Amino acid sequence: MGTPPKVVNGKPTIEVAPCHSADVILARQPGRSSLAQQTVIVIGSSTGGTEALRALLTALPEGMPPILIAQHMPEMFTKSFAARLDSLCKLAVKEAEDNERLQANTVYIAPGHSHLLLKAGPSVGLFTSLNAGPPVNRHRPSVDVLFRSAANLVGKNCIGVILTGMGRDGANGMAELKQAGAYNIAQDEASCVVFGMPKEAIAQGGAHEVLPLTAIAGRLVALAQQRPPQL
């Protein structure tokens, strides 16, 4: 049997889980010089994101930098979602594992049970890191966690994208990316299923451009060509 609800003034109440910030997973490190000379694309999405990601990723050619994605999705679906995208895309798409060295032409989907972060390797290159800590903005994986990790390590060599989704996860992280020198794109309202996440990121000043979904792939290709070569 579950725990009975608390009763206040004779009425049962529902306990709401605390809404943690990214601080519960990793500290922000503003002003830190970028450790990585490798371009990385980070993408956050939620409601409507599965189809938005399919449209975006299938439009990307080979020759792209590593792409890391935090999509709000239960853990039993992320592996099959990655496999489906892998069958459709020119890029390799996989559910991220812990301690993988980032490779060009590869998309890493955060597993539904963990936050996806970046970490510096013992030698050259960047690696994935999975963290099963508390939900952030009531989500695990959280976009804010991925974006903060990229801001801390990749900085100006990062490209951030926020797609359709409910709520505000990713808004703080995108602002941090911008402050670290990254270039950011938000999906426009007309092409979103839910404009919540991009709207909040735009309101916080984190987006350099607001684009329809169909224009984002081409812009990513152009931006990636302006950044450091892949390792």
Side-chain angles (χ1 to χ4, degrees):
M1 296 180 61
T3 303
K6 289 185 178 180
V7 177
V8 178
N9 296 327
K11 296 181 180 179
T13 62
I14 298 174
E15 289 193 32
V16 178
C19 186
H20 296 294
S21 75
D23 293 340
V24 75
I25 303 298
L26 76 165
R28 188 182 175 200
Q29 297 176 312
R32 179 179 180 179
S33 298
S34 173
L35 295 180
Q37 298 303 310
Q38 182 178 16
T39 301
V40 177
I41 297 172
V42 289
I43 301 175
S45 51
S46 186
T47 311
T50 54
E51 282 306 299
L53 288 169
R54 180 195 58 78
L56 172 58
L57 296 177
T58 55
L60 291 174
E62 294 182 350
M64 296 300 294
I67 300 172
L68 285 75
I69 297 174
Q71 159 71 37
H72 299 159
M73 181 182 285
E75 62 180 284
M76 67 283 292
F77 297 124
T78 46
K79 192 175 187 69
S80 59
F81 176 57
R84 174 173 173 259
L85 288 176
D86 185 61
S87 72
L88 299 172
C89 296
K90 298 179 181 69
L91 305 174
V93 184
K94 68 185 304 294
E95 184 183 57
E97 300 173 63
D98 192 45
N99 203 37
E100 294 184 89
R101 181 176 173 179
L102 296 191
Q103 302 290 337
N105 296 311
T106 306
V107 180
Y108 302 87
I109 306 281
H113 54 70
S114 295
H115 300 295
L116 177 59
L117 298 84
L118 290 157
K119 67 178 181 181
S123 56
V124 177
L126 291 168
F127 288 74
T128 60
S129 176
L130 299 184
N131 185 305
V136 169
N137 299 315
R138 301 196 174 95
H139 294 288
R140 186 180 58 221
S142 163
V143 182
D144 267 346
V145 171
L146 174 61
F147 282 7
R148 174 174 288 184
S149 171
N152 284 350
L153 279 180
V154 189
K156 63 183 174 60
N157 295 327
C158 188
I159 304 167
V161 181
I162 195 156
L163 301 176
T164 175
M166 186 178 297
R168 62 186 321 277
D169 188 30
N172 289 338
M174 181 160 270
E176 291 172 8
L177 277 173
K178 186 176 184 181
Q179 291 163 12
Y183 194 90
N184 298 326
I185 298 169
Q187 185 178 352
D188 73 350
E189 183 174 9
S191 64
C192 281
V193 173
V194 179
F195 190 47
M197 285 165 48
K199 180 181 179 180
E200 291 292 336
I202 294 164
Q204 288 207 27
H208 292 86
E209 289 186 80
V210 181
L211 297 175
L213 180 62
T214 53
I216 295 177
R219 190 68 178 116
L220 288 179
V221 172
L223 288 168
Q225 290 173 347
Q226 298 171 14
R227 280 162 166 74
Q230 299 315 296
L231 299 175

